[in-house]
Structure formats: structure tokens, C-alpha cells
Amino acid sequence: MYKGAILAPMVRIGTLPTRLLCLEEGADLVYTEEIIDHRLMDCRKFEHKNGLVEFKLTAEDNPVLQTCAKEKEKVILQLGTADPNRAVKAAKLCQDHISGVDVNMGCPKAYSTKGGMGAAMLKTPDLAESILKALVQELDIPVTCKIRCLKTLEETVEFAKRMEKTGIAALAIHGRQKTERSRADPCRSLWIAEVAKSLKIPVLANGGSGEIKSRSDIGQFQEKTGTAGVLVARAAMWNPSVFNKDGPRH
């Protein structure tokens, strides 16, 4: 399941229309944008005649999460959380309509890290473990996490190994550290490759959009990192047909 060319989670971008378009163009999996557990766990489910499923607080509110049967077997909910109980409550609400749950441990933005979520979890491995263990135990669908590089390669590999022991199905890693940015700092492809060699579960590579303009480029990045699959972010935002096996369309 966790392999191939995958739409990475992107806030405000990875919504249902984008995900469906990427699937139509050939993406093997699609991640939702990061959704914070607080926002999701108290929602109600609204099912519509056209197959659309929405999770929102009331019928009049804007949806926190939208999905549909067309993507059910291919969509992964990315959850922003810093609490096992909240994580389980939010994930259980929608697990019948998704294929997996991913815990965000890599977002460097303040709205995540100030709440102890995202890349802040790289400094709290015990909490990260407890969240993943709770989700693995309580859910009927696969659980994964997405991390960033830590200060050293050794720390990065050790953290990834600790997360693997929780029973997760796969691990994704962005090849940059918390303070590094895609426009200025190169992706640490060799670090990703080392993590992939060190784990028994599938490892997904993220951070190579600067060198990705086509499906063949995705394959080359996957081969360079020795991973099971590649999460594509900016390249898919610029042109979702980057997933098209016949080549990108205008």
C-alpha cells in the first residue's frame, strides 16, 4: 500500500478536489492536509446523496474534512496531535472512510510546534511513541508517521527505529531539518537512504520536489533514496499531472 508516487500532505492545498485530481493523474496514494485533532474529534458526520462525506461541527459549518467513496482506498488522513486520547478520538470518527492515519511529526510551522505537534515531537519521542501505540492498538486501519531529519544522521535513524517499534505500517521522512527550507537548503537524500536501509517497514521519501518535474523524476528520486515511495508536494501543487505516467500535461 505504501509505495509509488504519493501526494504529500500540504496545508490548504491537499483538499478533496486536489486529491481527486492527483488520483486521476496517476497518484498511488493521497494525503489530506494536516487536520488538528481538536478540530476533528468533536465533528459530526454528514453523508450526502452524491457520495460526499463531510465531517463538521454542525450542518451549517464549513467542513473540517471532506472525502468520498472514489478516494476511500487511497486517502490517508494526516493528523496533527500531541495527545494519544485526542488522536484516537479524532481518527476513530472517520476511520471507516479512509485508508490510513498519519501522525505529523515534521511540520516546522509555529501553529503546529507551539502546540507540541509537528516537528516539536522530534524532541518528545516518548510522547510520539505513546500516540502511535494508542492509534495502532485502537484503529482498524494502518498507522504511519512523517518526520524530519534531526540534528545528526545517527539521531534521525534512532528516532525512526523507535517509531518503527510502535507497530506502524510505514514511515515518511522529509530530507531537511526543522530550520531548513526547500528554497534554500538541499534535500538530505543520503540521510533518507540511510533511514530506509535501517528500517524493516516501508520508508517514503519527501523533499525532492526541486528536482521533480515528471513521473520519471519521481522514480529517479525513489531509486536514489532507496525508498518504497515518494511523497510529492510542491511539484504536485504546481502541476498535478506530474503523476501522469505518460508525462506531464500543460
PDB file of all heavy atoms in Angstrom, residues 11 17 49 146:
ATOM      1  N   VAL A  11      -0.914  21.855   3.760  1.00  0.00           N
ATOM      2  CA  VAL A  11      -1.967  22.645   4.390  1.00  0.00           C
ATOM      3  C   VAL A  11      -2.594  23.591   3.372  1.00  0.00           C
ATOM      4  O   VAL A  11      -1.893  24.236   2.595  1.00  0.00           O
ATOM      5  CB  VAL A  11      -1.400  23.437   5.583  1.00  0.00           C
ATOM      6  CG1 VAL A  11      -2.425  24.413   6.135  1.00  0.00           C
ATOM      7  CG2 VAL A  11      -0.962  22.470   6.684  1.00  0.00           C
ATOM      8  N   PRO A  17     -10.767  18.266  -3.805  1.00  0.00           N
ATOM      9  CA  PRO A  17     -10.604  18.446  -5.255  1.00  0.00           C
ATOM     10  C   PRO A  17      -9.180  18.178  -5.735  1.00  0.00           C
ATOM     11  O   PRO A  17      -8.976  17.540  -6.774  1.00  0.00           O
ATOM     12  CB  PRO A  17     -11.007  19.915  -5.470  1.00  0.00           C
ATOM     13  CG  PRO A  17     -11.912  20.223  -4.335  1.00  0.00           C
ATOM     14  CD  PRO A  17     -11.353  19.464  -3.167  1.00  0.00           C
ATOM     15  N   LYS A  49     -26.160  12.472  -0.772  1.00  0.00           N
ATOM     16  CA  LYS A  49     -26.632  11.518  -1.784  1.00  0.00           C
ATOM     17  C   LYS A  49     -25.625  11.311  -2.906  1.00  0.00           C
ATOM     18  O   LYS A  49     -25.599  10.256  -3.531  1.00  0.00           O
ATOM     19  CB  LYS A  49     -27.969  11.993  -2.353  1.00  0.00           C
ATOM     20  CG  LYS A  49     -29.124  11.936  -1.358  1.00  0.00           C
ATOM     21  CD  LYS A  49     -30.430  12.387  -2.005  1.00  0.00           C
ATOM     22  CE  LYS A  49     -31.581  12.308  -1.007  1.00  0.00           C
ATOM     23  NZ  LYS A  49     -32.861  12.772  -1.610  1.00  0.00           N
ATOM     24  N   LYS A 146       5.134  10.835   9.836  1.00  0.00           N
ATOM     25  CA  LYS A 146       6.012  11.577   8.921  1.00  0.00           C
ATOM     26  C   LYS A 146       6.918  12.460   9.756  1.00  0.00           C
ATOM     27  O   LYS A 146       6.442  13.274  10.542  1.00  0.00           O
ATOM     28  CB  LYS A 146       5.187  12.413   7.944  1.00  0.00           C
ATOM     29  CG  LYS A 146       6.002  13.186   6.913  1.00  0.00           C
ATOM     30  CD  LYS A 146       5.071  13.860   5.906  1.00  0.00           C
ATOM     31  CE  LYS A 146       5.866  14.623   4.847  1.00  0.00           C
ATOM     32  NZ  LYS A 146       6.470  15.859   5.381  1.00  0.00           N
TER      33      LYS A 146
END
